[in-house]
Amino acid sequence: MLPALSVVELASGIAGPLAGVRLADLGAAVVKIEPAGGDWLRGAAPPMPDSDTSAAFFALNRGKRSLALGAHPQAAAPLLDALLRKADVLITDRSDAELAALGIAGPDSVVCPANTRLIRVHVSPLGRRGPIAHYQGSELTTQAMAGYTRYLGRHGEPARRLGADVASVSTGIFALQAVLAALIARNRTGKGQRIDLSLLNSLLSMKSIHLAAQSDPDVYAGPRVGGANYPPERGWKTADEPIFFSFGGSVGAEGRPGWVEFVKEIGEERLLEDPRFDHRGRNSTGHGVDVHDLRGEYEKAFARFPAETLVETIRKHSGNASSYMRADQTLAHPQTAALGIVREVETAEGGTAKVRAFPARYSRSTPGLRGRAPGLGEHAAAIAAEVGIPAEELERLRRAGGIAGPADATA
């Protein structure tokens, strides 16, 4: 879909590489520039089955080619300059000072003086401007600063992080969106530009409904504002697995129909006579205001039924329901198969691995999936040849410590 797009990725970890792998899925040619020791994610556990490759590194870097910098990366400036002269996009999480040391930083108005069409995406924890922009930051730093820890635990108890890397992943998604928007702008103007993203900004951007619900200091009500007042949602207990269900939700003031028929079918007509329950199920299911007080009344009845039976019954009466699934259950679910979410690709070792396909489905295009994650620095010679660096010059850069080849990586 982006067959002529050339991307240089000078980023480690999650955010930048996630944007890079999604561009690769869409057809871009991505060159990953790594420090001498490699992207730190290469050492993250667990490894792939029958392989020494980190599963996390594989997931975020398959389909890319690797160029490894050496002990004196500034000596690689000629090769990096040649790469950027031909590139469409640079994705980086390095500081301006680090980029300047590599000879590839330029003023904002001219992102790359020799390539004014270059789109440069810069990812940082806290942003590029402001009183704390120069400080170190991380996933947990930005979760804490953006107030995400308040959605787990309770008032008066220690703060708890969200288990998922929401700051890094959302920034990777926003970076992909930003690149595509900048490409549209470049088609109109012929010029590239610099794009700055931060983990902090991404988290705050995702809190749209949360912040809107808290915009009136005299009214603390609305979607998802009560997280710190209640324990984490663990579902309604059944005879086996917990479930989530709702006859409320974003369906207007009347909620979903069918609650009365549902409670009759499971033999709980008594709830129809209990004044604590409305007859729409809105207050006592889902995120209803009385869920934490009335959950036990449902669970008395649910103890007689397996989760699968209850989910089917709720759905039959137009409710919203699912059992709580493990990752392996979700990936093996018939709905997952119908959507083509899980695909099998070849690995560097000649085996296969299951990956998640690009999440969008197009009527006329099919995003590709490349299964091989690069070895550290294994593509230096091919990349250099493509940008006009002769073999003898490449060897000179290697001797100067500018780049490291596969032999250096395994030493």
Side-chain angles (χ1 to χ4, degrees):
M1 297 178 66
L2 298 170
L5 196 72
S6 173
V7 178
V8 175
E9 178 191 303
L10 181 55
S12 298
I14 299 174
L18 176 59
V21 78
R22 288 310 188 196
L23 285 166
D25 285 344
L26 293 176
V30 181
V31 172
K32 182 178 182 70
I33 301 174
E34 303 185 62
D39 184 333
W40 61 263
L41 205 59
R42 285 184 179 272
M48 297 278 290
D50 304 317
S51 169
D52 293 332
T53 302
S54 161
F57 180 84
F58 175 86
L60 294 178
N61 295 283
R62 54 181 176 75
K64 303 175 185 177
R65 295 188 296 167
S66 173
L67 173 66
L69 299 177
H72 304 288
Q74 64 275 9
L79 176 54
L80 299 181
D81 180 69
L83 264 176
L84 292 181
R85 286 172 181 265
K86 294 181 177 250
D88 294 289
V89 179
L90 167 66
I91 300 173
T92 184
D93 57 8
R94 304 299 193 265
S95 69
D96 285 349
E98 290 174 306
L99 292 174
L102 295 173
I104 58 175
D108 287 351
S109 58
V110 183
V111 175
C112 177
N115 179 7
T116 58
R117 291 175 56 81
L118 181 68
I119 296 165
R120 177 166 134 190
V121 180
H122 190 277
V123 174
S124 64
L126 301 171
R128 185 165 173 253
R129 295 180 175 85
I132 65 171
H134 60 288
Y135 290 126
Q136 295 295 313
S138 67
E139 175 73 34
L140 293 187
T141 304
T142 51
Q143 280 195 28
M145 191 170 179
Y148 272 66
T149 53
R150 72 174 300 277
Y151 298 109
L152 291 178
R154 307 185 72 163
H155 284 310
E157 295 180 355
R160 301 181 184 181
R161 69 160 292 183
L162 296 183
D165 288 312
V166 288
S168 302
V169 170
S170 63
T171 301
I173 294 170
F174 287 138
L176 172 61
Q177 294 173 346
V179 167
L180 298 179
L183 288 171
I184 294 172
R186 192 180 72 176
N187 285 342
R188 185 174 65 253
T189 66
K191 300 293 185 182
Q193 58 187 301
R194 174 169 179 156
I195 304 165
D196 286 293
L197 301 102
S198 69
L199 274 62
L200 175 61
N201 198 345
S202 297
L203 286 180
L204 292 174
S205 295
M206 291 200 302
K207 290 184 75 171
S208 56
I209 61 170
H210 304 79
L211 294 178
Q214 298 172 48
S215 59
D216 185 343
D218 297 322
V219 180
Y220 197 68
R224 318 299 183 264
V225 299
N229 299 308
Y230 302 111
E233 176 59 60
R234 301 187 186 279
W236 278 255
K237 296 176 183 177
T238 72
D240 46 22
E241 302 293 331
I243 68 168
F244 177 86
F245 83 113
S246 174
F247 281 91
S250 303
V251 291
E254 296 303 311
R256 298 181 187 275
W259 181 84
V260 171
E261 289 73 17
F262 166 66
V263 296
K264 286 180 179 179
E265 181 160 343
I266 64 172
E268 291 299 309
E269 290 87 347
R270 65 185 179 85
L271 301 184
L272 302 177
E273 307 301 324
D274 191 326
R276 297 175 298 169
F277 292 82
D278 63 43
H279 283 196
R280 300 184 303 275
R282 189 175 179 85
N283 73 319
S284 59
T285 69
H287 298 287
V289 295
D290 298 320
V291 160
H292 297 280
D293 295 326
L294 301 179
R295 184 191 307 267
E297 297 298 323
Y298 286 105
E299 291 180 339
K300 291 175 185 176
F302 288 3
R304 305 193 305 268
F305 301 94
E308 184 177 357
T309 299
L310 284 168
V311 168
E312 291 177 357
T313 305
I314 293 164
R315 289 174 175 169
K316 182 174 72 172
H317 294 293
S318 302
N320 169 12
S322 175
S323 58
Y324 279 44
M325 297 183 184
R326 301 187 309 271
D328 61 321
Q329 292 174 313
T330 303
L331 294 177
H333 195 280
Q335 183 65 19
T336 304
L339 294 176
I341 292 173
V342 179
R343 306 283 179 86
E344 197 167 78
V345 295
E346 293 184 1
T347 65
E349 293 77 17
T352 60
K354 291 182 178 179
V355 300
R356 270 63 61 201
F358 192 84
R361 294 294 175 269
Y362 300 86
S363 63
R364 295 185 178 180
S365 306
T366 303
L369 285 175
R370 305 168 192 172
R372 193 173 180 277
L376 180 60
E378 71 167 291
H379 300 102
I383 293 168
E386 289 171 11
V387 296
I389 300 293
E392 56 270 20
E393 173 65 7
L394 181 66
E395 183 57 30
R396 186 190 71 78
L397 296 179
R398 193 187 305 278
R399 289 197 303 269
I403 62 169
D408 304 286
T410 57

